Amino acid sequence: MAPPAATETTLDTSGLEFAALTCGDGDRDALLLHGFPDAPRTFEPLMRRLADAGYTCYAPFMRGYGETERPPTEPGNYSPMLLASDVFALTDELDDPDPLVVGHDWGGMAVTTAAVTGGRGLGTCVSMAIPPNFWSQFDDYATQAMRSWYMNQFQVPGHGEELVRANDFALIERLWQLWSPDWNYDADHLAAVKDTFRTGETVEAALRYYRDFFDMFLPRRRSEQEIAGVDVPTLVLAGAHDGCIGADLFEGVTDCFDARAELAVLNNAGHFLHAERPDAVADRILAFVD
């Protein structure tokens, strides 16, 4: 029998209260963290596959998104280090001492940062659509600067927020089309994500991720930006047709890890590969954890 559709729940951590979706009632736990511009509903097909394989899945709205609590949009409150602290806080609420932790885009950044800072409470990690060493190699790929034009636009307070909200959040649909050119996404799904960005100050929080990221990494020398010695088993997944972060940036990514690590680049998939090809992503994850 197929697992039921995801239902709403709340994960009340010591730091923030996270609105979330849950699916399944298996003995193992899986935490799935979304990116931008997105919301947890993207994970539903993948959650159902994992639930069918014996997992209880939780997909929270990230810090500041939707009905999840929003700390003040002040410098540092949305930095990669704070996102990593959310990963630890969320896994502390799970029953599984070694959960599967899956992150896409900013969720992947959160997962990798948590793994780099010790990996407490993490079992196996999956990072999708962002290489762990993204920033340290950014200047090595001329086309990546063109793909990342929006990041610079988001640095300007007021302008970035206006850009995201303009014409009924047209940028969200435009980025989906550019980043996942093969994805025939559902109109209702797009509407649901736009509704997330209409909720409270989700836009302000989402753009703070980019500003705090720049504040953290720009002052550092390149040698200080490099990621190495990650000691948590990790599967890195990328889409061959990703229009946001080119698949070429993932070459040599397993060199960042001391623990077991694999890279898989999925054909016929772009940035939102977990929504475009959920069965292929699920197959890769389940093969890696087994």
Side-chain angles (χ1 to χ4, degrees):
M1 180 181 297
T7 58
E8 296 180 356
T9 190
T10 300
L11 296 172
D12 192 1
T13 74
S14 59
L16 298 173
E17 185 176 277
F18 289 81
L21 301 179
T22 184
C23 181
D25 59 356
D27 295 332
R28 295 177 289 180
D29 286 341
L31 179 69
L32 300 94
L33 304 171
H34 69 84
F36 173 91
D38 207 355
R41 288 286 176 193
T42 314
F43 283 123
E44 278 200 86
L46 178 57
M47 293 170 72
R48 288 194 291 269
R49 277 292 310 276
L50 294 177
D52 193 48
Y55 284 89
T56 300
C57 301
Y58 299 92
F61 287 80
M62 293 282 280
R63 164 181 293 247
Y65 275 72
E67 298 297 336
T68 288
E69 281 191 274
R70 277 174 286 280
T73 50
E74 297 172 354
N77 277 336
Y78 296 84
S79 70
M81 297 303 295
L82 266 293
L83 300 182
S85 74
D86 289 343
V87 175
F88 295 134
L90 287 162
T91 55
D92 283 346
E93 297 302 309
L94 305 182
D95 294 329
D96 190 339
D98 298 302
L100 170 65
V101 184
V102 180
H104 171 257
D105 190 82
W106 277 110
M109 175 70 72
V111 169
T112 297
T113 306
V116 168
T117 55
R120 173 180 57 83
L122 306 183
T124 300
C125 290
V126 180
S127 178
M128 295 189 289
I130 182 167
N133 52 355
F134 169 70
W135 194 247
S136 66
Q137 60 177 341
F138 184 90
D139 291 336
D140 293 339
Y141 297 86
T143 57
Q144 188 55 47
M146 293 186 290
R147 293 191 184 101
S148 298
W149 63 269
Y150 63 96
M151 295 176 66
N152 291 324
Q153 297 288 315
F154 289 171
Q155 298 307 306
V156 184
H159 170 72
E161 289 82 353
E162 182 178 349
L163 180 65
V164 174
R165 288 192 171 101
N167 300 317
D168 189 29
F169 298 91
L171 180 67
I172 293 177
E173 185 169 11
R174 182 58 176 155
L175 292 180
W176 282 16
Q177 292 168 345
L178 289 172
W179 294 356
S180 288
D182 304 318
W183 184 22
N184 295 317
Y185 52 82
D186 185 87
D188 290 341
H189 180 192
L190 176 63
V193 172
K194 287 185 177 183
D195 284 344
T196 297
F197 278 81
R198 291 189 185 97
T199 303
E201 296 182 344
T202 296
V203 172
E204 284 74 12
L207 298 195
R208 191 72 246 180
Y209 283 53
Y210 291 93
R211 293 167 190 164
D212 285 356
F213 178 80
F214 271 45
D215 289 346
M216 178 176 176
F217 282 100
L218 279 181
R220 298 186 179 189
R221 292 189 294 269
R222 180 166 177 159
S223 60
E224 298 173 327
Q225 299 168 359
E226 294 176 351
I227 302 297
V230 182
D231 201 26
V232 179
T234 302
L235 173 65
V236 180
L237 297 176
H241 301 159
D242 191 335
C244 176
I245 299 177
D248 50 350
L249 268 74
F250 290 82
E251 296 175 2
V253 73
T254 56
D255 293 341
C256 299
F257 297 86
D258 285 346
R260 181 171 65 99
E262 292 180 11
L263 167 66
V265 179
L266 301 187
N267 293 325
N268 303 314
H271 190 67
F272 298 93
L273 62 163
H274 59 289
E276 300 169 67
R277 300 195 60 196
D279 286 329
V281 168
D283 289 345
R284 292 284 187 172
I285 291 175
L286 294 173
F288 187 78
V289 297
D290 289 341

